Structure formats: structure tokens, C-alpha cells
Amino acid sequence: MGSVGAKDVPVLLSPEGLRVDGRRVNELRPIKITAGALKHADGSAFVEWGQNKVMAAVYGPREVHPRHLQQNTKAVIQCKYNMAAFSVDERKRPGLDRRSQEISKVIAEAFESVVFAEEFPRTSIDIYIEVLQANAGTRCAGLVAASVALADAGIPMADLLPAVAVGKAGGAIILDLKKEEDNFGEADLPMALVPQSGRLVLLQMEGHMTRDELATALDLGVQGCRGIYEVMKQALRDRYSVAPAAEAGA
Ligand code: ADP
């Protein structure tokens, strides 16, 4: 498709029903998750999802900083989402901006509904998400990475939190938007699911769609989350399964 400039609107859906990168409307981008990617964190995960590359590190339960956030009955969950200055093609201004603060907040709130925080009063569970390369859907990739990192750190949780953005582009309801679809499409709707209960713990929408389209999008998103859930569980199995004793030549 070539480069996409502001005036250069791409064809978001071909007459054959294919998207800018050749995917069908209900197809995810390729996703690879590595649990335990960092040595010094209590838990970590690296997610490569389409052209997104996102690292998450988890510390805790540990002492609360700043101290005034400490809660007597449960752990406080703190999240810091950051986009590296080199993560996007237009140079991003480094440091905390409103978007990063908002994403950090919604991710921390999503985890409050699955982490058993009451088991660790007066402590903090700290989640760091670093976006190294961004191509839309980074809050979802961040949630997925943080979820696997929390499990890797041994933090007790009701469930993992798979997440994906659904939306509308070229008139169609589509799963897992990439940058061109996010920029030039009609709607973007990131969501996170608790698979075992079916509850949604993050749901945001930009753009426009009808109620029927929203219902279709939610179903598509739940289906997408269930696919990602399998990849998340496999990443944890790969990390913790004991390699069978060397058989060949033993
Ligand atoms: P998400 O990454 O969760 O989809 P947004 O919808 O806010 O969040 O952003 C969509 C995409 O736009 C990002 O994934 C990234 O590729 C790009 N983007 C976001 N913020 C910036 C920025 N400050 N500079 C350049 N590109 C950005």
C-alpha cells in the first residue's frame, strides 16, 4: 500500500473483503508472547503483536511509594504506561502526557477487578509498560503483556485479561485495528475481557457506530480476546513447563 500520509487515504476494505494488510475482518494480527523476558523484574512479558512491541515488568507486592497511597485493607495497583520516543514514526515527545496518564489509569483499574489485592494489605503492585514500537492497539498489547507479567510474578488473580481493539473501517466491523484503520476508520473500541466470567473490564470507544454494529463488534472482540487468552496461557506454560529429561542419547 505504500506510505500513508494525511491526504493519502488508503483503501481500508477491498471488494474481496480484505484489509490493508490482507487480513479478513475477523482476523487478528500475528501475536507472540514471551513470559519472563526480563531478569530483574519480579515478573515480565514481551509482546510482539503485528508491528507493536511492548514490554511489561511487574514488581511487588512491595512497599508503597509514594507512602500516602498505602491502603490498610488491600494492595494498591499502580500502572505506568509509557511510549518510547522512538516508538512511532512521527517523533513522540518523550515523557508523561495526558494520553499515557489515561491509559495507565484504565489499565490499573482493569487489574483491580481481577487481582486478589486484599491478600496484600499495605503493599503496592507496580506495573510498568514500555511501548517500544507502536502501531495501534498498544493499550491492549500493554494489558496483555502486564497480565502475563503479573502471572509470571506469582500475583494471585481471578483470571488473565486478554484485550483487543475492535472497530469499523471501510464500512465493516473489524477485529484488531492497525494504524491505518485506527487513523482513517470510522470507530475504534479497545476492550478487555475476564474470560471465565465473560465480564468486560475495559471498554472505550472513539468514533461512531450503530447499536447493531456495536453488538457485532462486542461479539467479535470477545471472540478475539478468547483467541489471545490461549496465546497468553501458552506463553506461561512455555515458561513454567519443565523440559522433559533429555531423551536422545540419554
Ligand atoms: P492505542 O495505542 O491504545 O490504540 P490510541 O488510539 O491513542 O491508542 O493510539 C493509536 C496509535 O496512534 C498508537 O498505537 C500509535 O501508533 C499512535 N500514536 C499514539 N500517540 C502518538 C503520538 N504521541 N505520536 C505519534 N503517534 C502516536
Side-chain angles (χ1 to χ4, degrees):
M1 170 119 308
S3 70
V4 178
K7 285 171 267 146
D8 187 9
V9 180
V11 177
L12 295 175
L13 199 71
S14 75
E16 297 77 37
L18 298 178
R19 295 157 63 181
V20 277
D21 55 1
R23 275 182 296 156
R24 299 260 164 213
V25 290
N26 60 351
E27 251 181 271
L28 291 165
R29 292 174 284 185
I31 177 164
K32 182 179 169 203
I33 306 174
T34 309
L38 299 174
K39 190 162 176 276
H40 300 303
D42 293 334
S44 60
F46 186 50
V47 169
E48 294 162 273
W49 185 351
Q51 289 165 28
N52 290 319
K53 292 183 198 289
V54 178
M55 183 70 84
V58 165
Y59 289 88
R62 66 178 181 182
E63 212 172 297
V64 185
H65 290 290
R67 204 52 193 268
H68 70 267
L69 293 178
Q70 182 174 298
Q71 298 196 24
N72 285 332
T73 54
K74 59 178 185 177
V76 52
I77 299 170
Q78 304 194 70
C79 176
K80 197 166 170 194
Y81 163 105
N82 181 56
M83 258 179 132
F86 51 80
S87 63
V88 286
D89 45 9
E90 319 95 85
R91 182 180 176 279
K92 184 199 169 282
R93 285 179 63 185
L96 257 190
D97 49 25
R98 276 187 54 193
R99 176 179 170 277
S100 306
Q101 284 176 354
E102 174 228 309
I103 295 178
S104 301
K105 182 171 181 287
V106 295
I107 291 179
E109 285 171 358
F111 282 116
E112 276 168 16
S113 52
V114 282
V115 170
F116 296 135
E118 313 74 38
E119 292 186 16
F120 308 101
R122 291 178 293 282
T123 68
S124 181
I125 295 168
D126 300 328
I127 303 167
Y128 297 92
I129 296 169
E130 293 290 330
V131 178
L132 306 179
Q133 191 169 284
N135 189 279
T138 61
R139 75 194 64 203
C140 296
L143 259 157
V144 168
S147 220
V148 175
L150 283 162
D152 183 43
I155 307 283
M157 292 183 284
D159 208 348
L160 296 168
L161 282 189
V164 73
V166 282
K168 185 177 174 188
I173 301 302
I174 57 169
L175 178 65
D176 190 16
L177 283 69
K178 78 187 298 275
K179 188 80 165 55
E180 291 89 333
E181 296 170 329
D182 182 292
N183 282 8
F184 300 107
E186 293 99 274
D188 172 32
L189 198 156
M191 58 191 273
L193 175 78
V194 185
Q196 286 175 38
S197 66
R199 271 188 312 142
L200 296 177
V201 290
L202 179 139
L203 189 63
Q204 302 181 288
M205 185 165 105
E206 268 179 74
H208 310 270
M209 54 172 88
T210 65
R211 281 173 64 162
D212 285 349
E213 287 171 338
L214 177 62
T216 306
L218 289 173
D219 285 346
L220 190 58
V222 167
Q223 186 190 310
C225 283
R226 295 202 181 277
I228 292 157
Y229 188 44
E230 294 307 314
V231 184
M232 296 165 83
K233 288 189 291 186
Q234 189 57 47
L236 288 161
R237 267 187 231 119
D238 290 347
R239 167 118 163 102
Y240 289 103
S241 59
V242 179
E247 285 161 329

